[in-house]
Amino acid sequence: MLESWAMNAEQNSAETRQRCERLAQALVERFGPGEPVRFFRAPGRVDLMGSHTDYNQGLILAGAVDRDIVAAARLRHDGKLFCYSLNLDQEVRGSLSSLKRDPADGWANYPKGALFELAKLDLTLPGLDLAVHGTIPVGGNLSSSAALLVVTMTAALKLLNQSLSAWERIHLCHRAESDFVGLPCGILDQFTVVMGRPETALYLDCRSLEWQPVPFPADRAGLVITNSGVGRELVASEYATRVAECKKAVEHFHRYRAQVQSLRDVTEEELTALGPMLPEVLLRRARHVVTENRRVAEAAAALRRGELEELGRIMDAGFVSSRDDYQISIPELDRLHALMSQVPGVLGSRIAGAGWGGCMVSLVRLEAIDLFTKKVAAQYREQTGRSPAILAMNISGGPEEISG
Ligand code: GLA
């Protein structure tokens, strides 16, 4: 059953080997002969619950997926950084001594950011050739950006024969994304990509940084990702606006109770009593975050008990709250949610990652995945004229070196 819709491990590794060969070839063709080439991978991630809770010091439930970025890498000895993306057939060349964000460099700002942060820890490479290939849909809210940061960092550390603790690596990539690249994000993506493990969801408290693995029953249900193929232009500006709105809402609750340092600290009672004094928009943002944290805790408990129907119900409730209160949806995602909800065997669906376009993630009974794929694709096409990419994904392991 599983093989009919998800890539199995053998297929996956044969495909990975081919990608490595193509990358090594491209690297030598472009950048000439040099040191031996080594290979690395880092996965994308999917969030099962916890929409915009991470930068509010709240809770998340997420997993790494079996779509990834593979990198071929080798040291240089002239202080240069040469990067190549096989997907885009695009090359960026620079110098490791003057790493600066440059909008013209696009995707290459991520490897640059990871190397910039490593250099701050005195982990400086003598030069690097890096060629990458990804199978994570770009702009789909599945964290191809965190995967690119993490695969670069993993390659650099291995080539230097150095190591950092998991949390050092998570924080390093988080700084690279928020400070160097400039998106004021939380820690969801970097944490999940670095800590990923097969068939296991990760339940994280973003304040205490305590986390627990929660087994995901891959023999009973699958995670299906539907890419709406639209949107995301709003992410940069709207995301920063949400971060600022949450800060404003915190100031309000803090005036009444000094212990409130983030929306994470606001109780549902305080929300009911003090929320209505806030401007409508801030009340909505606060209500989403406060209730979403409860839903994440309930979702983790349901998954731990193996109650997938309950998990699905919570995902649907999360969708409604993120659409109505946090307002991260767009008409195409609303449409997809409505279509998905009508397919028997779909337990729940929500918006992946930041929102404003990109992907939906659905929890679907294994036997219903084929029907889901056909129905949702046909109806979405009929109603919007767009063909959505629909991919079933397994929860998979974290970054690693691929042995040659
Ligand atoms: C993006 C950010 C994450 C998180 C999600 C929304 O993926 O990078 O830190 O805030 O949006 O939950």
Side-chain angles (χ1 to χ4, degrees), residues 302-318:
L303 185 58
R304 214 175 273 123
R305 293 193 302 267
E307 291 174 6
L308 296 182
E309 292 78 8
E310 176 65 1
L311 174 60
R313 191 196 60 71
I314 298 167
M315 289 169 75
D316 279 332

Side-chain angles (χ1 to χ4, degrees), residues 20-54:
C20 289
E21 278 162 25
R22 286 171 62 201
L23 284 170
Q25 204 184 339
L27 194 133
V28 172
E29 269 169 27
R30 289 183 169 262
F31 306 144
E35 296 253 341
V37 179
R38 289 165 67 178
F39 304 98
F40 307 89
R41 65 171 288 277
R45 66 98 188 93
V46 66
D47 42 337
L48 273 74
M49 269 310 288
S51 184
H52 292 260
T53 46
D54 59 352

Side-chain angles (χ1 to χ4, degrees), residues 45 50-52 54-55 185-186 188-189 239 353-354:
R45 66 98 188 93
S51 184
H52 292 260
D54 59 352
Y55 55 83
C185 60
L188 161 71
D189 306 344
Y239 193 96

Side-chain angles (χ1 to χ4, degrees), residues 89-229:
D89 190 23
Q90 222 177 64
E91 199 179 292
V92 174
R93 296 186 180 213
S95 163
L96 285 174
S97 57
S98 57
L99 291 169
K100 273 193 212 74
R101 183 170 71 96
D102 180 349
D105 289 347
W107 60 276
N109 283 304
Y110 291 88
K112 281 165 55 177
L115 298 171
F116 180 80
E117 288 299 330
L118 278 165
K120 289 203 321 215
L121 302 179
D122 278 337
L123 295 166
T124 306
L125 291 161
L128 179 69
D129 286 333
L130 184 78
V132 294
H133 178 260
T135 53
I136 308 164
V138 173
N141 284 335
L142 300 177
S143 255
S144 53
S145 55
L148 190 48
L149 288 169
V150 173
V151 81
T152 307
M153 175 193 63
T154 306
L157 286 172
K158 293 275 186 189
L159 290 172
L160 286 169
N161 206 13
Q162 296 281 345
S163 60
L164 292 172
S165 73
W167 278 108
E168 283 171 321
R169 286 180 283 137
I170 293 165
H171 289 307
L172 186 146
C173 288
H174 180 246
R175 285 194 300 275
E177 180 131 19
S178 55
D179 303 348
F180 189 90
V181 180
L183 186 81
C185 60
I187 208 158
L188 161 71
D189 306 344
Q190 299 78 18
F191 167 79
T192 313
V193 170
V194 169
M195 300 299 265
R197 45 209 68 200
E199 295 187 9
T200 306
L202 310 170
Y203 177 42
L204 172 73
D205 181 326
C206 296
R207 171 176 280 161
S208 69
L209 301 184
E210 276 167 29
W211 68 278
Q212 289 156 17
V214 187
F216 181 86
D219 55 340
R220 290 172 51 209
L223 291 172
V224 185
I225 307 298
T226 304
N227 196 344
S228 65

